[in-house]
Amino acid sequence: MQLEAALKQYYGFDDFRPGQKEILEDILSGHDVLGMLPTGTGKTLIYQLATVLLKGRALIVSPLVSLMQDQVDQFKQTGFKRTVALNSFLDHSDKQSVLNHLKDYQFVFVSPEIMQNKYIRSALLSVNWSLFVVDEAHCISQWGHEFRPYYLDLAFIRKKLGNPVCLALTATAAVKVQEDILKYLEMKDAKVHIHSVNRPNISIFVESFSDVEQKLDRALELITELKGPGIVYTNTRRGAEQLVTVLHERGIQDVSYYHGGMDQDERLLVQKQFLNSQLQLIVCTNAFGMGINKPDIRFVIHYNAPANVEGYVQEIGRAGRDLQPSAAILLYHPSDLEIPFHFIENELPDDNQIDYILSDYDVLAEQTLSERLQLAGISETGQRFMEYHLNNSGVLYEKCVPEVKRESLKKILKKKIEERKREKLNSLRMIEKWIMDEGCKRSMMLKYFGEEEIAEKDYCCSGCQDELTRFYGKEEKETHIYQVWEDELKRLFRQEV
DNA sequence: CGGCAAAAACGTACGTTTTTGCCGGTGCGGTACT
């Protein structure tokens, strides 16, 4: 009853959404919690309310600085004024003043990386935390192993902070990812709340092509026919740009591309235009989507197959947040998997490169580690991976590393890399299998997330004979919006309209 | 690996063909430089 009263007092709601209350109760009784809840369940409310009821403060680890800024704004708007984000957006003096008054804040957002900064870390250690929240916790597994290794340091940091209760939240985590989260956050005896990833209003279609031209034609047909707004995912940055060029040539103007190679401002602009419905379609790499809360996305097309099932589920999950019928269409060509395969094979150093990096470590004084890593031709991700692990093993601080230690380190790293490759190749094989299999796509997907298979229903997937044409039918609205937008642009350039 | 663009090689003077070489998702912070 006490929880319902607090819910009423702070939010004005009468009832919790599924999952919220159970997680809150576990947190308040001092348990670590892994919560996998679908988007729109109100994950934020859980740790806001928990922090308030614990009369303490929460440290929230968030993967993207842009997301953090949005969250801080949202917190402030909903009355949680004592909220701040510690990241590189802050200039030196602002950072200084936040750190000096850290105890006055109730909610502090951080990236995993910024806690490596010793000033920030010591400031964080100087106050008491009642809650350690890891938002989008699947990043630990998805990015921690190589791309953003400091995700693997979170357990260590939490321990230093005096082991506050840990709440890991995500919307999609396959069984292996759930295991990784529990393992790398060292959440012993954690309560696990897993809710279904099934999104009944999203119909799943897979179409295979042996000819890339035919696939392009089909994509253009779908983009023309399907009711928007929509997202198209491609494998490469260039692929996204090229598809947009083709669409522009065909007179479809309310389309733009988005990928990680663009400037921050440019990315923000495209994102805002899409959220404001000035753009009806966004063609992008997997850089786009996290933290996007546009409720009315009607379709997600995969122009190339993604590297694993969980990535696919995350990406199609951006459709139909308003619970209206939406379509996910994967257009598959066997060459799609070559690029993910290439990344898996090449992002981490091979045995020869490991030998080279760790040979004659004592002469390294004349050569910085990063010089050596570059000389060995190791990818940027591979370089970060090596730096992280060499740093962790302590060899960076030793003047002369004994032969025995060097050899054992080589062995450890080689084993780690091989294991990681095997896992990723396995995931790649899983999605290939999922694509090729003729059965119910939804059931197979749910099985991958450790869920019971569901009974087939009428509107389900291409394996269950659902019809994609029922999602056809563009609205007049789009061209209207475009004209208004075009008029505004003309006015900006002082042309007659 | 496979696709694509720039460089080199054509065989005859600037356009076409062949060869070489490089790149390919995801983001943070901080430092060096405009």
Side-chain angles (χ1 to χ4, degrees):
Chain A
M1 261 305 112
Q2 183 214 351
L3 289 180
E4 273 86 359
L7 182 71
K8 185 78 185 168
Q9 184 190 336
Y10 288 95
Y11 300 91
F13 302 149
D14 291 319
D15 299 299
F16 284 102
R17 287 192 182 153
Q20 288 179 325
K21 191 180 176 186
E22 295 78 7
I23 293 179
L24 256 170
E25 283 170 344
D26 283 338
I27 294 170
L28 294 176
S29 61
H31 289 100
D32 290 345
V33 175
L34 165 58
M36 186 170 113
L37 302 169
T39 324
T41 324
K43 289 192 269 284
T44 309
L45 181 144
I46 297 173
Y47 58 86
Q48 281 178 339
L49 208 48
T51 308
V52 168
L53 294 171
L54 288 166
K55 297 187 171 61
R57 59 174 76 83
L59 186 66
I60 304 134
V61 180
S62 177
L64 304 178
V65 285
S66 58
L67 195 63
M68 261 185 241
Q69 302 299 121
D70 290 349
Q71 283 171 308
V72 171
D73 292 345
Q74 233 170 51
F75 269 57
K76 289 187 173 169
Q77 273 168 28
T78 48
F80 297 96
K81 306 275 184 209
R82 289 154 57 212
T83 302
V84 75
L86 278 174
N87 58 39
S88 55
F89 281 17
L90 288 178
D91 65 36
H92 186 73
S93 62
D94 285 345
K95 197 183 277 176
Q96 208 60 258
S97 96
V98 171
L99 291 181
N100 288 338
H101 301 98
L102 202 59
K103 61 175 179 357
D104 298 331
Y105 292 99
Q106 191 178 18
F107 298 97
V108 179
F109 284 86
V110 289
S111 66
E113 287 84 1
I114 206 152
M115 291 189 285
Q116 293 300 310
N117 179 307
K118 58 181 175 182
Y119 299 109
I120 289 179
R121 195 188 287 194
S122 71
L124 292 175
L125 295 183
S126 71
V127 297
N128 287 318
W129 301 95
S130 27
L131 201 55
F132 185 82
V133 182
V134 182
D135 201 11
E136 309 283 356
H138 57 274
C139 293
I140 291 169
S141 175
Q142 195 172 294
W143 284 347
H145 296 291
E146 50 270 323
F147 184 51
R148 293 178 68 178
Y150 288 114
Y151 256 105
L152 300 186
D153 267 9
L154 294 180
F156 172 77
I157 287 172
R158 177 187 163 213
K159 239 180 270 169
K160 287 221 144 197
L161 293 172
N163 260 320
V165 171
C166 181
L167 170 63
L169 292 167
T170 177
T172 37
V175 179
K176 172 82 181 87
V177 177
Q178 293 168 21
E179 288 167 3
D180 266 7
I181 294 170
L182 293 171
K183 177 178 168 192
Y184 287 99
L185 284 175
E186 295 179 23
M187 294 165 75
K188 291 172 202 112
D189 308 318
K191 300 278 183 179
V192 180
H193 295 264
I194 303 295
H195 289 242
S196 176
V197 291
N198 190 23
R199 301 276 301 279
N201 63 313
I202 303 177
S203 287
I204 303 161
F205 300 87
V206 177
E207 298 179 12
S208 283
F209 296 84
S210 51
D211 184 315
V212 283
E213 306 244 323
Q214 274 174 21
K215 184 164 101 166
L216 177 64
D217 288 343
R218 177 61 172 157
L220 294 173
E221 183 189 349
L222 288 175
I223 290 166
T224 322
E225 294 293 341
L226 286 169
K227 190 177 158 204
I231 303 177
V232 179
Y233 279 102
T234 60
N235 246 348
T236 63
R237 295 171 177 182
R238 196 165 56 194
E241 294 190 13
Q242 281 174 343
L243 190 55
V244 168
T245 308
V246 173
L247 291 167
H248 283 171
E249 280 167 6
R250 307 232 168 168
I252 303 169
Q253 294 297 326
D254 44 5
V255 178
S256 210
Y257 60 81
Y258 181 105
H259 57 64
M262 296 156 65
D263 290 342
Q264 193 68 240
D265 330 346
E266 219 179 334
R267 289 171 66 161
L268 216 64
L269 178 70
V270 173
Q271 194 176 303
K272 283 213 168 119
Q273 287 177 331
F274 184 62
L275 294 177
N276 295 335
S277 304
Q278 289 158 329
L279 291 170
Q280 280 293 302
L281 184 74
I282 206 150
V283 185
C284 55
T285 61
N286 60 357
F288 184 78
M290 214 187 317
I292 296 292
N293 263 316
K294 187 172 167 62
D296 60 342
I297 295 172
R298 293 276 71 86
F299 67 87
V300 173
I301 295 174
H302 279 77
Y303 190 70
N304 304 109
N308 50 58
V309 177
E310 51 264 46
Y312 184 69
V313 172
Q314 276 160 28
E315 285 160 7
I316 68 170
R318 279 145 204 162
R321 298 255 163 111
D322 56 8
L323 305 181
Q324 296 304 305
S326 308
I329 309 116
L330 171 54
L331 305 177
Y332 175 73
H333 183 273
S335 65
D336 287 351
L337 299 178
E338 276 161 15
I339 281 185
F341 181 76
H342 169 269
F343 285 127
I344 295 168
E345 284 296 316
N346 295 293
E347 74 179 346
L348 292 178
D350 61 28
D351 286 3
N352 290 333
Q353 287 168 324
I354 295 278
D355 287 338
Y356 172 76
I357 296 296
L358 281 164
S359 62
D360 299 318
Y361 209 83
D362 36 304
V363 296
L364 210 69
E366 291 146 44
Q367 209 179 23
T368 66
L369 176 64
S370 59
E371 276 169 357
R372 186 170 266 231
L373 289 165
Q374 264 180 22
L375 225 65
I378 295 171
S379 76
E380 238 183 272
T381 298
Q383 290 180 28
R384 273 193 310 275
F385 173 89
M386 289 299 287
E387 274 164 14
Y388 175 81
H389 286 289
L390 292 180
N391 192 14
N392 258 16
S393 68
V395 298
L396 291 186
Y397 305 108
E398 292 177 37
K399 274 202 169 144
C400 178
V401 180
E403 180 76 23
V404 190
K405 187 166 182 181
R406 238 186 282 154
E407 288 305 317
S408 85
L409 199 53
K410 281 185 196 172
K411 223 178 265 171
I412 291 168
L413 287 173
K414 285 177 189 173
K415 198 179 151 210
K416 193 165 278 192
I417 289 167
E418 204 204 297
E419 242 167 58
R420 189 66 191 143
K421 266 192 182 174
R422 200 173 50 228
E423 278 168 12
K424 286 188 146 188
L425 283 173
N426 201 31
S427 301
L428 193 63
R429 248 176 265 130
M430 286 298 293
I431 194 160
E432 192 179 14
K433 206 175 137 215
W434 180 81
I435 291 166
M436 304 311 283
D437 199 300
E438 304 276 318
C440 173
K441 299 293 179 194
R442 190 179 307 269
S443 295
M444 285 187 280
M445 178 180 284
L446 295 179
K447 215 171 159 187
Y448 189 79
F449 283 82
E451 295 184 32
E452 297 288 316
E453 287 185 47
I454 49 145
E456 292 179 16
K457 62 178 186 76
D458 288 344
Y459 302 117
C460 181
C461 65
S462 47
C464 301
Q465 317 304 322
D466 193 4
E467 286 295 330
L468 189 45
T469 45
R470 72 190 180 91
F471 296 95
Y472 282 15
K474 279 218 157 192
E475 288 171 344
E476 289 298 311
K477 199 174 118 204
E478 296 158 32
T479 42
H480 172 67
I481 282 166
Y482 164 58
Q483 277 165 3
V484 171
W485 187 77
E486 192 190 34
D487 290 352
E488 275 171 20
L489 198 72
K490 277 186 183 162
R491 218 170 293 128
L492 281 174
F493 287 96
R494 292 169 190 282
Q495 288 178 0
E496 289 303 314
V497 179

